[in-house]
Amino acid sequence: MSLTAGIRIHDKHSYGNFGLYLKSRNIGLPEKKSIRQTVPFMNGYYDFSALNGAAAWGERIIEYSFDVTNDSPVELDYFVSYVLEWLGNVHDADIYDDTTYGYHWHGSYDKANIEWDTSGLQAEITVSFAVHPFKIADNPTQHFLTAGTHTITNPGMAVAPIVKSDAVAAIQIGNYVSSIPANEEIKLEIDLERGANTVLVTGEGTVTLSYYEEVL
């Protein structure tokens, strides 16, 4: 891991703006929400976790530790407060980790801990964030669709796509149908499921279908 690697939030970088050296990172895993029921005299159980088409997941906790030093205890205390003012006010924000190329996290400040050296000249800041369970792609996946039937393969988790057409059109995914006004971006009220999805487009325009891939 590079000494200058770190995290970027609200256009501020832990090393570039604060000179913080990343000591460690701990990327937790989200917990899958399990809904299981059994009945008397039954062997095993019924698993209803994916009753709506896909299982739901809980939050993910990500944690970073930084080493900080200064020439005096007073200046170190001031600097630690300065860093916490940045990290402690992270709410519903994108969090970019230099070691997670092409993807980012999205979430809020959870908690922090400070360990002070006995000299008063060194400290370790540990901060954690509660984030969306999946990594989110930095750039959208886009498909340009004309009238006809198309197969869109989504390699990640189920995600709602955004569509825009250069002329009036309509789109159908499963039993869901939506009209698309010309040159107006709309978010569909249906997810692209994991794997292959059949998408039917009607109309004269070219429909741009885009989504941000989400992966574990």
Side-chain angles (χ1 to χ4, degrees):
M1 181 168 57
S2 169
L3 290 176
T4 60
I7 57 175
R8 178 167 55 87
I9 311 170
H10 296 321
D11 294 326
K12 290 185 178 180
H13 189 270
S14 56
Y15 180 81
N17 294 95
F18 296 90
L20 297 173
Y21 289 101
L22 181 60
K23 181 177 182 180
S24 65
R25 62 195 290 273
N26 182 19
I27 306 301
L29 290 172
E31 182 177 348
K32 182 180 177 181
K33 296 181 179 179
S34 182
I35 304 171
R36 295 180 294 201
Q37 295 291 335
T38 188
V39 296
F41 312 112
M42 175 188 178
N43 293 318
Y45 56 87
Y46 294 110
D47 192 341
F48 299 107
S49 303
L51 193 62
N52 287 332
W57 297 75
E59 67 185 17
R60 184 195 293 252
I61 300 298
I62 60 175
E63 183 181 88
Y64 299 91
S65 293
F66 302 96
D67 281 330
V68 293
T69 59
N70 217 309
D71 295 331
S72 76
V74 172
E75 290 179 354
L76 180 62
D77 182 71
Y78 176 82
F79 181 69
V80 168
S81 296
Y82 178 55
V83 173
L84 291 178
E85 178 67 21
W86 169 51
L87 297 173
N89 285 290
V90 173
H91 179 76
D92 198 25
D94 291 333
I95 302 168
Y96 295 87
D97 184 330
D98 291 341
T99 62
T100 308
Y101 181 75
Y103 294 87
H104 63 272
W105 309 103
H106 187 89
S108 302
Y109 168 85
D110 181 44
K111 60 184 177 181
N113 181 62
I114 313 297
E115 292 187 5
W116 302 89
D117 184 81
T118 54
S119 67
L121 303 178
Q122 183 174 345
E124 181 180 323
I125 301 174
T126 301
V127 60
S128 63
F129 303 95
V131 299
H132 184 65
F134 313 122
K135 291 184 289 187
I136 304 169
D138 293 340
N139 299 305
T141 297
Q142 292 187 318
H143 299 274
F144 301 95
L145 313 175
T146 54
T149 301
H150 307 267
T151 299
I152 303 297
T153 301
N154 173 23
M157 311 305 290
V159 62
I162 296 171
V163 294
K164 185 176 182 179
S165 179
D166 57 9
V168 175
I171 191 167
Q172 179 175 349
I173 303 175
N175 294 323
Y176 173 84
V177 180
S178 176
S179 59
I180 308 171
N183 301 311
E184 183 177 331
E185 190 173 83
I186 62 172
K187 186 173 184 177
L188 299 183
E189 297 178 1
I190 189 172
D191 287 341
L192 284 178
E193 298 297 335
R194 183 182 183 88
N197 297 262
T198 299
V199 178
L200 175 63
V201 172
T202 56
E204 298 298 324
T206 297
V207 175
T208 301
L209 181 146
S210 62
Y211 63 92
Y212 287 88
E213 183 182 312
E214 298 185 5
V215 299
L216 274 174

